[in-house]
Amino acid sequence: MMKISIITATYNSAATVRDTLACIASQEYPNIEHLVVDGLSKDNTLDIVKEFPHVAYVISEKDKGIYDAMNKGVKLATGDIIGILNSDDFYTGPTTLSKVAEAFEDPAVEAVYGDLQYVNATNVHLVTRTWKSGTFRKRSLYYGWMPPHPTFFVRRHIYEKCGLFNTTLRSAADYELMLRVLVKFDARVQYIPEVLVKMRTGGMSNASLKNRFRANKEDAMAWKLNNLKPYFFTMWLKPLRKVLQFNPINIWQK
């Protein structure tokens, strides 16, 4: 049976990490390795982690940011499949990883992804945005498409072949990695057409034009680092796609 390694990076995550740990502890799939990579939290994050005996490995030390922490986790992981679940995210149900494992039963499949919902930070039953990914087509990335990274699972050999997260990028390292895997290295991909992950959000974080401009620059750099040439409108279609995902009724509710 394939082993699935899940990496969770934490830093002062006490307010949300319990849900992340609990959702993995409740998975029906029997062969899971959960690694927690902590950046020297000053709250009781690590005390909460100790409450969950399913966690296979915990490291707490200074890092250079979340992507550096993810890289540490990938290097430590021993699973056949690797996924990343952030400390404010959780799986939608106990069968999520069983469905991921089923998709990987086809030996030709190298990467799997699904859909994601953003939920209110204080009331996780309120869905503010639904990221419906759709079937994979490589050309879609040139039209601003990308899969939601928390739902993105790959075989371990993909990291060995394609490399780790580029820590010179502040916000687009996950986007750059997926470009590398899906376009440059042409990985075989399968889509699971259902919501796999729910992610807390504090609201419309991309409302600042300054932040959006900075993000666009990093997105463009992600293509350049891979010697890929996007269309002139690719970087602007990417944020525009997000607008259509919002549920205007629930965005401002608590």
Side-chain angles (χ1 to χ4, degrees):
M1 180 176 288
M2 291 179 291
K3 181 193 289 186
I4 301 178
S5 294
I6 303 298
I7 298 159
T8 299
T10 60
Y11 180 69
N12 292 342
S13 305
T16 60
V17 73
R18 189 183 301 277
D19 287 346
T20 306
L21 295 161
C23 82
I24 296 178
S26 69
Q27 291 298 301
E28 294 177 357
Y29 190 74
N31 198 6
I32 300 171
E33 174 186 63
H34 191 192
L35 303 96
V36 175
V37 184
D38 182 73
L40 286 180
S41 290
K42 297 177 176 61
D43 62 5
N44 64 327
T45 295
L46 292 176
D47 292 329
I48 296 172
V49 173
K50 290 177 183 176
E51 298 174 16
F52 291 84
H54 79 273
V55 177
Y57 194 94
V58 182
I59 181 174
S60 184
E61 62 185 23
K62 188 174 179 60
D63 57 45
K64 299 175 183 177
I66 189 169
Y67 295 116
D68 182 41
M70 291 177 182
N71 283 342
K72 290 180 182 180
V74 171
K75 291 175 183 177
L76 291 167
T78 63
D80 307 286
I81 311 300
I82 297 178
I84 292 174
L85 190 68
N86 297 325
S87 59
D88 49 4
D89 303 347
F90 54 95
Y91 294 131
T92 53
T95 62
T96 297
L97 293 184
S98 294
K99 293 170 183 174
V100 170
E102 183 179 358
F104 277 109
E105 286 179 1
D106 180 349
V109 172
E110 296 177 295
V112 167
Y113 68 93
D115 300 334
L116 178 144
Q117 285 182 334
Y118 288 82
V119 296
N120 185 277
T122 56
N123 182 355
V124 297
H125 299 293
L126 278 178
V127 177
T128 60
R129 174 182 160 198
T130 299
W131 188 336
K132 188 173 177 60
S133 304
T135 304
F136 174 72
R137 296 177 181 85
K138 190 190 297 187
R139 67 177 182 273
S140 295
L141 283 105
Y142 290 84
Y143 288 86
W145 178 89
M146 66 176 286
H149 185 246
T151 75
F152 192 66
F153 297 81
V154 299
R155 294 192 188 271
R156 184 152 54 98
H157 77 252
I158 288 292
Y159 283 109
E160 295 167 352
K161 179 173 71 173
C162 302
L164 302 175
F165 293 93
N166 187 324
T167 57
T168 64
L169 299 172
R170 293 174 57 188
S171 63
D174 52 354
Y175 179 53
E176 187 276 329
L177 177 75
M178 290 188 288
L179 276 179
R180 206 185 321 152
V181 171
L182 300 176
V183 180
K184 187 174 182 179
F185 285 92
D186 200 24
R188 292 286 301 276
V189 188
Q190 183 166 320
Y191 167 53
I192 299 176
E194 60 182 86
V195 176
L196 300 181
V197 176
K198 295 197 176 187
M199 172 187 287
R200 286 181 174 86
T201 179
M204 300 179 70
S205 60
N206 288 326
S208 164
L209 289 176
K210 182 179 179 181
N211 287 348
R212 186 63 255 165
F213 181 72
R214 183 185 299 121
N216 271 25
K217 287 182 66 176
E218 283 216 357
D219 289 346
M221 180 59 68
W223 287 80
K224 185 176 181 180
L225 288 169
N226 287 294
N227 296 315
L228 298 170
K229 292 184 178 180
Y231 298 142
F232 72 92
F233 50 75
T234 301
M235 280 349 107
W236 296 105
L237 281 181
K238 187 168 174 281
L240 284 175
R241 281 178 171 270
K242 297 179 182 180
V243 175
L244 300 175
Q245 299 169 358
F246 282 99
N247 182 341
I249 296 175
N250 292 336
I251 288 174
W252 305 112
Q253 295 188 45
K254 296 182 179 180

